[in-house]
Amino acid sequence: MAIRVKLDEMLYQRRMSLTELADRIGLTLPNLSILKTGKAKAIRFSTLDAICTALDCQPGDILEHDPSAPAAPADEEA
């Protein structure tokens, strides 16, 4: 997929653990981990808003479009 999740980099910059972020935004650690590893197929705006608020950042600090990334297989596209 051409969307890359840069949550690890932002957590490192903010010196925050994934567990701490999960607690702050009320999301389960497994669900946040799926997002962090780039395996999520979607994200709710409310979740993105909560992450950006907790990390004091913009959505573009967390998500990046990488056109050189391989496309998702046809059966995985929405």
Side-chain angles (χ1 to χ4, degrees):
M1 180 181 314
I3 301 297
R4 188 171 79 84
V5 180
K6 304 183 300 180
L7 190 55
D8 266 342
E9 293 95 332
M10 190 55 57
L11 286 168
Y12 179 78
Q13 289 176 9
R14 299 298 191 256
R15 305 206 188 312
M16 186 183 301
S17 70
L18 193 64
T19 303
E20 183 180 348
L21 179 60
D23 289 342
R24 284 187 183 195
I25 66 173
L27 199 63
T28 65
L29 190 56
N31 283 339
L32 196 53
S33 181
I34 288 168
L35 176 62
K36 181 184 78 109
T37 58
K39 294 179 181 175
K41 296 182 188 231
I43 182 171
R44 290 186 174 144
F45 282 147
S46 59
T47 300
L48 185 58
D49 178 54
I51 291 171
C52 289
T53 299
L55 295 176
D56 189 28
C57 67
Q58 295 294 312
D61 297 327
I62 297 170
L63 302 174
E64 176 179 74
H65 181 256
D66 181 2
S68 66
D75 63 332
E76 290 185 20
E77 292 180 10

